[in-house]
Amino acid sequence: MGRKLVRVFAIVVAFCGAITAHAQTADLVSKTAFRVCADPANSPFSNKEGTGFENKIADLFADQLDLPLEYMWFPMATGFVRKTLKENRCDVIIGFAQGHELVLNTNHYYTSAYVIVTRADSDLASVDTLSDPRLKGHAIGVIAGTPPASHMARNGLMPLAKPYQLMVDRRFYSPNQDMLDDLRGGVIDAAFIWGPIAGNLLQKGDGDLVMTPLLKETLPPKMAYRITMGVRQGELVWKRKLNSMIRENQVAIDRILTGYGVPLLDNMGQNLKEVTQ
């Protein structure tokens, strides 16, 4: 066999192998159920009772696909993607930050930001940036290891900071709720919280607390993030299907999110988004 023929044969084999690999990857997606990977105790995102906003979006998509909804429950902690999506126990994670290498991201379906929460009658209620000098000398709550903590360190706000745990068993502990309880009790004077969590918790209050999205930070880490759905690497057909569904159902998705108090931003993450009701 001549060298040219050998080279052509090798190319054909590689091409056929790629096609087979793609077919095998695509076949991993269930044709009989909409299989969702989710945390069973992560309100307001997801929970076993099906009352989180990611549950509602999953319901919407299952209806659109005319498939029964099935969950693979696993705590959103180390090993979540490996023990769910990568082991083919489910086919999609409803909420995943854009750009994470563990999954193949769909197009984003919402953008939100960290917020500062204060008492409505506080002199900090109009603060909208972590570099505001009015924050100096105040006790501020923050979830350890989250982006606001880096800004607090840069701006000299850590000496009086009160950190709250990032990784806990949400069946028994709610650090964000604890932070807001401390804010109401005067233990801290302000709290930095991920917007979807803060917005939902404040919905259940009596208006004594207010939140302001942190949209003016110019230094890293960023405060606004695009949220996508996550699928297995290589599942481009499935990704495109979900992208189409996101686009076709964006209005309904926005309504679900705003119903839970999620502060939605425009695609650039610079202004609050106007949502059609």
Side-chain angles (χ1 to χ4, degrees):
M1 186 181 293
R3 289 185 178 180
K4 288 185 179 180
L5 188 57
V6 169
R7 187 176 302 141
V8 170
F9 179 73
I11 292 172
V12 170
V13 169
F15 180 69
C16 291
I19 292 176
T20 301
H22 176 73
Q24 290 173 342
T25 302
D27 287 342
L28 293 178
V29 178
S30 174
K31 304 297 190 300
T32 60
F34 183 54
R35 303 190 305 166
V36 173
C37 330
D39 190 314
N42 193 29
S43 296
F45 305 98
S46 66
N47 55 60
K48 274 193 172 181
E49 293 70 36
T51 60
F53 62 75
E54 290 181 0
N55 295 114
K56 301 306 180 185
I57 294 171
D59 289 339
L60 173 66
F61 276 36
D63 287 343
Q64 294 278 316
L65 292 166
D66 195 24
L67 291 173
L69 176 59
E70 292 182 3
Y71 281 103
M72 168 57 203
W73 300 112
F74 197 88
M76 184 69 78
T78 302
F80 175 77
V81 175
R82 175 172 51 83
K83 299 297 291 184
T84 58
L85 200 63
K86 288 191 174 181
E87 291 188 0
N88 189 31
R89 302 167 81 179
C90 46
D91 300 314
V92 62
I93 301 170
I94 297 296
F96 216 90
Q98 187 179 62
H100 207 297
E101 295 180 355
L102 287 175
V103 303
L104 176 64
N105 297 104
T106 65
N107 293 342
H108 68 282
Y109 64 94
Y110 78 95
T111 303
S112 195
Y114 280 89
V115 301
I116 179 172
V117 182
T118 66
R119 291 182 290 277
D121 59 359
S122 169
D123 60 350
L124 301 179
S126 60
V127 168
D128 59 5
T129 175
L130 287 92
S131 60
D132 192 308
R134 287 177 291 176
L135 292 172
K136 294 289 181 66
H138 286 281
I140 301 172
V142 65
I143 300 295
T146 58
S150 298
H151 289 273
M152 289 178 66
R154 181 185 298 119
N155 288 289
L157 301 176
M158 294 306 289
L160 296 178
K162 181 175 181 181
Y164 296 78
Q165 285 184 279
L166 174 63
M167 303 299 263
V168 299
D169 189 331
R170 289 291 309 280
R171 293 173 299 174
F172 308 106
Y173 304 102
S174 179
N176 291 285
Q177 183 63 65
D178 291 345
M179 202 175 343
L180 295 187
D181 290 343
D182 284 347
L183 180 57
R184 288 187 170 98
V187 177
I188 58 176
D189 303 308
F192 293 122
I193 303 179
W194 175 229
I197 297 174
N200 184 253
L201 290 176
L202 264 59
Q203 268 192 333
K204 303 169 185 175
D206 58 7
D208 58 327
L209 302 180
V210 294
M211 70 177 187
T212 304
L214 297 166
L215 308 180
K216 297 183 178 181
E217 305 303 328
T218 58
L219 296 175
K222 60 185 179 179
M223 292 288 100
Y225 292 86
R226 292 175 172 178
I227 304 302
T228 72
M229 297 183 187
V231 302
R232 280 178 289 273
Q233 294 290 350
E235 292 184 337
L236 298 177
V237 173
W238 181 223
K239 171 187 172 179
R240 286 193 289 269
K241 175 63 176 178
L242 291 171
N243 281 343
S244 296
M245 295 180 68
I246 290 170
R247 182 174 60 254
E248 293 165 2
N249 293 280
Q250 189 64 66
V251 172
I253 292 171
D254 287 350
R255 288 173 180 167
I256 290 172
L257 294 170
T258 54
Y260 281 75
V262 177
L264 298 179
L265 307 183
D266 59 23
N267 285 334
M268 299 304 294
Q270 297 177 345
N271 299 287
L272 288 171
K273 179 179 182 180
E274 293 185 10
V275 177
T276 303
Q277 298 297 331

